[in-house]
């Protein structure tokens, strides 16, 4: 058994707050010197009899003809990398390219080399393993993406604590501070920032971001605070006055007790939903001792759950990132979604506010609508009615909210979705036809 005390000490010397925030699992995790470690040391040797993958004896994959035909879109070297095991931390070229993509707008801030995960949810689960654990407070503005409960609460025994993301129809920048206000001083906590948000589709303005930053620094003055930047929808912002970049960069260095962790990936940013390629990035210098220590811990947890991330989808993303036109292609998708967002905003302007109260949305893929003050039914009843009688599917969020994924509906159909939603709520509320 490898003693993790040395890497824990390296973390503590560089960031005492982060070391204090480690869970019991996070404290014990260290990449073991077993097969992947030893195989990496043997890479490039004349004879390499370390790793259990079938090759021609000279490092090239043995391909079935059917598989070879499928992989023919790759060049020969890329095809080989796509067919064989990925390193546990991910393919080196992809990690370099993604780091450059992340930093294209904020090159002045430190960041580690991203570690590859099997999608963003896997990245969140790694953070939960490292910094969650029984009784640990996890603050997320409500309503939040329901899978946070499974990822942090069910899996690690952490406690979800929350405060409203919106109050009186306006963004509540102090929600996380409110949620953690009653936690004992000095007790480590985790905060989740999902910007643009799911289910809300909202990104804070410049002033709201400043207030949010100030409130998080205030929380960090009382305790070690790990801020998980769930950046699944980074860049999908449709208001020119709202910043597009992740708050990870603003949070980095904001307070000695505040450590942001960036979770992002190709899923939404590159519209590569089936690829399941995510990344986890820490706010420390490349090749620093703390970067190496955290890399060891993440690799240990990836190895324990997956073995290694899928190589084929990593190579698809490598090809995309090599293309000098990729930023323009991403912008084309953003503009597609911006048009749908505008159409949906216009359609919701006309709804009866006694039936439906749209929350502000300006980004991402979603809009959140609250049931009106005189509607006594619940969101699940509305959802079922829309399925059964209106041939329409939306998501019920808690008791009072419904989520429309405008990313999945043509702009020309969004007004009809709103009409059917309003008619369904009116029927359940006994208001007759709308």
């Amino acid at each position: 058994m490898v003693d993790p005390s040395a890497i824990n000490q390296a973390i503590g010397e560089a960031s005492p707050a982060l070391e204090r925030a480690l869970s019991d699992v996070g404290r014990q995790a260290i990449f073991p010197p077993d097969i992947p470690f030893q195989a990496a040391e043997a890479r490039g040797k004349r004879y390499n009899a370390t790793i259990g993958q079938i090759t021609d004896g000279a490092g090239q994959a043995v391909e079935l003809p059917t598989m070879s035909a499928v992989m023919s879109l790759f060049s020969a070297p890329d095809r080989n990398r796509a067919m064989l095991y990925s390193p546990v931390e991910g393919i080196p070229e992809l990690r370099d390219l993604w780091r450059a993509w992340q930093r294209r707008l904020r090159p002045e801030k430190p960041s580690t080399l991203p570690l590859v995960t099997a999608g963003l949810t896997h990245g969140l689960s790694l953070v939960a393993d490292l910094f969650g654990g029984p009784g640990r407070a996890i603050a997320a503005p409500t309503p939040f993406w329901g899978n946070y409960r499974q990822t942090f609460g069910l899996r690690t025994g952490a406690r979800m604590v929350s405060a409203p993301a919106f109050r009186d129809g306006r963004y509540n920048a102090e929600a996380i501070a409110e949620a953690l206000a009653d936690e004992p001083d000095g007790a480590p906590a985790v905060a989740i920032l999902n910007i643009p948000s799911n289910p809300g589709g909202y990104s804070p303005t410049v002033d709201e971001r400043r207030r949010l930053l100030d409130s998080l620094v205030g929380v960090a003055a009382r305790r070690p605070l790990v801020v998980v930047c769930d950046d699944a929808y980074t860049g999908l912002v449709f208001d020119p006055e709202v910043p597009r970049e992740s708050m990870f960069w603003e949070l980095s260095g904001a307070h000695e007790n505040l450590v942001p962790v960036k979770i992002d990936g190709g899923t939404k940013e590159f519209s590569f939903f089936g690829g399941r390629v995510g990344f986890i990035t820490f706010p420390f210098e490349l090749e620093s001792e703390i970067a190496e220590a955290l890399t060891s811990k993440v690799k240990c947890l990836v190895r324990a759950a997956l073995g290694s991330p899928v190589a084929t989808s990593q190579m698809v993303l490598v090809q995309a990132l090599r293309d000098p036109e990729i930023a323009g292609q991403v912008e084309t998708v953003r503009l597609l979604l911006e048009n749908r967002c505008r159409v949906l905003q216009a359609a919701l302007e006309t709804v009866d506010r006694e039936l439906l109260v749209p929350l502000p949305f300006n980004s991402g893929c979603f809009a959140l609508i609250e049931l009106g003050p005189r509607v006594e039914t619940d969101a699940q009843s509305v959802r079922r009615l829309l399925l059964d009688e209106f041939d329409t599917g939306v998501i019920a969020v808690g008791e009072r909210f419904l989520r429309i994924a405008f990313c999945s509906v043509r702009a020309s159909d969004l007004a009809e979705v709103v009409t059917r939603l309003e008619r369904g709520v009116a029927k359940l509320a006994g208001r007759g036809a709308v």
Side-chain angles (χ1 to χ4, degrees):
M1 180 69 179
V2 180
D3 183 2
S5 59
I7 69 169
N8 292 340
Q9 181 179 347
I11 293 171
E13 289 174 354
S15 177
L18 192 65
E19 191 274 336
R20 286 180 59 198
L22 286 170
S23 67
D24 289 343
V25 170
R27 224 167 266 287
Q28 296 172 45
I30 181 172
F31 190 56
D34 58 10
I35 294 171
F37 179 90
Q38 296 175 42
E41 289 191 328
R43 205 170 288 147
K45 299 302 181 184
R46 174 65 182 86
Y47 301 106
N48 186 350
T50 60
I51 198 162
Q53 57 187 2
I54 302 170
T55 74
D56 63 357
Q60 302 300 303
V62 174
E63 300 178 3
L64 301 179
T66 297
M67 296 295 292
S68 184
V70 171
M71 304 295 283
S72 63
L73 293 176
F74 291 113
S75 66
D78 287 354
R79 184 167 68 245
N80 199 56
R81 286 201 284 177
M83 288 288 292
L84 297 177
Y85 283 133
S86 162
V88 175
E89 66 273 23
I91 292 171
E93 183 182 2
L94 175 60
R95 299 175 68 201
D96 287 331
L97 288 168
W98 192 259
R99 184 172 186 268
W101 174 259
Q102 290 175 325
R103 296 171 59 83
R104 67 196 185 281
L105 300 177
R106 297 300 294 267
E108 76 280 5
K109 291 278 192 168
S111 65
T112 60
L113 199 59
L115 293 133
V116 176
T117 64
L120 280 79
T121 299
H122 180 223
L124 291 166
S125 75
L126 292 170
V127 174
D129 287 341
L130 288 171
F131 304 111
R136 179 63 54 85
I138 312 294
T142 187
F144 53 77
W145 184 52
N147 207 27
Y148 292 146
R149 283 196 180 89
Q150 284 74 256
T151 303
F152 287 88
L154 178 65
R155 290 184 63 257
T156 77
R159 291 182 295 116
M160 299 301 300
V161 296
S162 196
F166 290 88
R167 184 168 282 130
D168 299 325
R170 300 180 67 85
Y171 181 72
N172 180 17
E174 288 74 35
I176 288 171
E178 292 172 8
L180 295 172
D182 294 331
E183 296 296 316
D185 284 357
V190 175
I192 300 176
L193 283 186
N194 180 210
I195 301 173
S197 62
N198 174 10
Y202 188 78
S203 293
T205 65
V206 172
D207 179 65
E208 289 167 341
R209 281 171 76 111
R210 178 191 56 76
R211 288 169 42 215
L212 175 57
L213 177 61
D214 289 346
S215 73
L216 293 173
V217 168
V219 173
R222 297 178 54 198
R223 71 187 71 258
L225 182 66
V226 175
V227 180
V228 183
C229 295
D230 180 355
D231 290 337
Y233 304 91
T234 291
L236 297 178
V237 176
F238 315 128
D239 185 334
E241 303 301 318
V242 172
R244 292 190 191 180
E245 66 269 20
S246 167
M247 277 201 70
F248 172 83
W249 308 106
E250 292 163 73
L251 293 166
S252 178
H255 192 282
E256 62 183 1
N257 281 348
L258 194 163
V259 181
V261 181
K262 183 172 172 56
I263 306 295
D264 59 12
T267 307
K268 283 87 177 181
E269 288 192 58
F270 280 31
S271 201
F272 189 28
F273 295 88
R276 310 309 299 150
V277 183
F279 300 89
I280 180 170
T281 306
F282 298 96
F284 303 109
E285 296 287 354
L286 279 174
E287 300 179 1
S288 60
E289 287 191 29
I290 188 171
E292 293 178 5
L294 290 167
T295 295
S296 176
K297 289 183 178 297
V298 171
K299 286 172 64 177
C300 172
L301 297 171
V302 172
R303 168 75 172 151
L306 295 177
S308 65
V310 176
T312 305
S313 52
Q314 288 184 67
M315 289 310 302
V316 173
L317 194 52
V318 164
Q319 289 200 344
L321 287 161
R322 286 174 184 162
D323 190 335
E325 304 299 322
I326 189 61
Q329 295 170 23
V330 169
E331 175 65 4
T332 297
V333 175
R334 190 197 68 81
L335 290 171
L336 171 73
L337 292 178
E338 178 176 340
N339 179 55
R340 293 181 185 177
C341 179
R342 299 273 183 254
V343 170
L344 182 57
Q345 286 171 334
L348 288 169
E349 282 292 324
T350 63
V351 298
D352 183 346
R353 292 306 195 267
E354 295 295 314
L355 297 175
L356 296 169
V357 181
L359 272 63
F361 63 100
N362 58 13
S363 54
C365 291
F366 309 108
L368 196 64
I369 297 99
E370 186 174 8
L371 295 177
R374 297 189 180 178
V375 177
E376 296 181 359
T377 191
D378 61 90
Q380 280 288 357
S381 297
V382 175
R383 185 185 73 84
R384 288 301 324 173
L385 182 72
L386 290 175
L387 289 173
D388 295 341
E389 298 186 23
F390 291 88
D391 199 25
T392 299
V394 297
I395 295 292
V397 180
E399 292 292 318
R400 301 293 295 174
F401 297 95
L402 295 154
R403 191 196 75 175
I404 295 175
F406 59 81
C407 58
S408 301
V409 182
R410 289 177 299 212
S412 59
D413 292 332
L414 285 166
E416 179 62 21
V417 170
V418 172
T419 296
R420 294 183 182 204
L421 173 58
E422 189 172 15
R423 287 173 58 201
V425 172
K427 180 173 182 177
L428 289 174
R431 295 282 295 272
V434 175

